[in-house]
């Protein structure tokens, strides 16, 4: 299958992976949206993010990092703006970072970038009324992979950008994983996804075995990881549902709290319509329980 055919086949699926939750309905409270804030500069390239926050109150507020999908090769941070507004109306500071795409930039560039966005957010916590000890991450497809990497890696894994040694750490405190890859070395990766992994890693997982292992969230699961909520379709043509069950097994062995919901017969988000209101509510409840202080 040629790269052009692959792109045509994925079509709206990859677009959907950037903003599956779509419009969240009318805002619950007024919010402020700022776009194209520069969070890092890499080799002269400015990396930007969008940010939404409550229009009223001084905080400190919990924060969320919302990461778009697109096979690490496409997508747009702007696709998450409705979600940023939704979360800000619920009392969060929410950011959506752009990140460098493969195949021009291979792993770990994408992980470096989303980690840099978290570190920027923590470094500017006072400016935006953020509590740096209450930050969550949510991602879709490839963005979910990156959100998981935020949750399960630490500085000892060597995935923090060495060019930013003086910034705060990039750890987060809750993760929502919406059909994200967890094991890049799995033997059941479908043919349509194999060229995407090759572009991400700069070679096939078999050719880049050490890199593929480093880039797999499963590799890094340890008991001190944050809780993870996962949603995965059992007929996903890009990400096998075994990626979610393997993650569940790894979290169970490590004693990490969380939950995996398998949507039986559902694909890569494009046919989740009837389930979306419930999923949105479950995501809100998950983050609220973990990131908002308990009522006195």
């Amino acid at each position: 299958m040629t790269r052009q055919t692959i792109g045509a086949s994925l079509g709206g699926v990859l677009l959907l992976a950037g903003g599956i939750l779509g419009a969240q309905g009318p805002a619950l409270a007024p919010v402020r949206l700022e776009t194209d804030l520069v969070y890092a500069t890499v080799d002269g390239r400015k990396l930007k993010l969008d940010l939404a926050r409550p229009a009223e109150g001084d905080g400190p507020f919990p924060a969320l990092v919302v990461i778009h999908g697109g096979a690490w090769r496409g997508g747009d941070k702007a696709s998450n703006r409705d979600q940023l507004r939704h979360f800000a109306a619920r009392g969060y500071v929410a950011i959506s970072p752009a990140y460098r795409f493969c195949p021009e930039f291979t792993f770990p560039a994408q992980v470096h970038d989303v980690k840099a966005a978290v570190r920027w957010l923590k470094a500017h916590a006072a400016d935006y009324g953020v509590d740096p000890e209450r930050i969550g991450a949510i991602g879709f497809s490839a963005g979910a992979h990156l959100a998981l990497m935020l949750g399960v890696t630490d500085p000892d894994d060597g995935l923090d950008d060495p060019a930013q040694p003086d910034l705060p750490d990039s750890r987060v405190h809750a993760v929502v994983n919406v059909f994200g890859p967890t094991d890049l070395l799995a033997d059941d990766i479908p043919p349509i996804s194999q060229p995407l992994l090759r572009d991400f890693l700069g070679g096939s997982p078999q050719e880049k075995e050490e890199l593929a292992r480093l880039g797999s969230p499963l590799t890094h699961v340890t008991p001190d990881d944050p809780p993870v909520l996962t949603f995965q379709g059992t007929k996903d043509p890009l990400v096998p549902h075994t990626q979610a069950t393997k993650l569940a097994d790894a979290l169970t062995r490590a004693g990490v709290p969380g939950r995996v919901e398998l949507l039986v017969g559902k694909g890569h988000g494009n046919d989740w319509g009837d389930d979306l209101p419930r999923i949105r509510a479950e995501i809100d409840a998950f983050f609220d329980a973990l990131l908002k202080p308990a009522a006195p």
Side-chain angles (χ1 to χ4, degrees):
M1 183 178 289
T2 66
R3 181 168 295 171
Q4 290 82 0
T5 303
I6 291 167
S9 299
L10 298 181
V13 173
L14 292 185
L15 292 175
L16 190 78
I20 180 177
L21 299 185
Q24 307 289 312
L28 303 175
V31 303
R32 297 175 182 170
L33 177 67
E34 300 179 51
T35 61
D36 295 327
L37 301 174
V38 176
Y39 71 85
T41 302
V42 181
D43 296 330
R45 179 187 295 254
K46 293 181 179 180
L47 301 177
K48 301 177 181 180
L49 58 80
D50 295 342
L51 180 150
R53 53 178 167 153
E56 300 172 353
D58 298 323
F61 303 105
L64 294 174
V65 183
V66 186
I67 309 174
H68 71 79
W72 307 286
R73 62 190 297 125
D76 188 343
K77 64 180 174 59
S79 66
N80 288 328
R81 286 178 185 168
D82 282 342
Q83 293 173 60
L84 298 186
R85 294 185 183 96
H86 170 78
F87 289 130
R90 292 184 54 81
Y92 292 86
V93 175
I95 65 170
S96 176
Y99 51 88
R100 288 171 289 170
F101 293 150
C102 69
E104 181 181 3
F105 299 97
T106 56
F107 171 81
Q110 297 76 18
V111 176
H112 283 170
D113 293 350
V114 296
K115 282 177 169 285
V118 175
R119 299 171 84 182
W120 178 92
L121 182 63
K122 291 185 178 184
H124 291 82
D127 299 329
Y128 293 101
V130 170
D131 182 344
E133 297 304 317
R134 292 188 288 144
I135 296 178
I138 176 172
F140 309 89
S141 193
H145 165 266
L146 298 176
L148 285 168
M149 293 294 279
L150 288 177
V152 301
T153 61
D154 57 42
D156 293 339
D157 295 313
L159 289 170
D160 285 287
D161 188 345
Q164 298 179 313
D166 299 325
L167 291 181
D169 67 80
S170 60
R171 290 299 297 268
V172 298
H173 309 94
V175 176
V176 172
N177 159 38
V178 185
F179 46 76
T182 65
D183 180 8
L184 305 188
L185 284 164
D187 58 9
D188 60 349
I189 300 294
I192 195 172
S193 296
Q194 291 170 13
L196 306 178
L197 280 179
R198 189 175 298 116
D199 283 349
F200 179 55
L201 297 171
S204 72
Q206 293 71 34
E207 295 167 341
K208 301 284 187 177
E209 183 174 350
E210 184 175 346
L211 204 61
R213 186 170 288 108
L214 182 65
S216 296
L218 287 187
T219 301
H220 305 283
V221 173
T222 53
D224 60 343
D225 291 340
V228 178
L229 173 62
T230 292
F231 298 93
Q232 174 71 50
T234 63
K235 287 191 175 180
D236 191 320
L238 298 175
V239 181
H241 71 277
T242 51
Q243 297 276 306
T245 56
K246 286 181 179 180
L247 178 63
D249 289 342
L251 296 174
T252 299
R253 287 192 297 270
V256 177
R259 184 166 67 85
V260 172
E261 178 174 332
L262 296 179
L263 284 81
V264 177
K266 299 295 185 178
H268 201 67
N270 54 314
D271 55 354
W272 288 24
D274 292 343
D275 294 291
L276 289 179
R278 175 184 55 79
I279 289 172
R280 291 185 189 114
E282 291 182 14
I283 290 170
D284 288 342
F286 176 78
F287 281 136
D288 286 355
L290 292 168
L291 301 178
K292 289 186 175 180

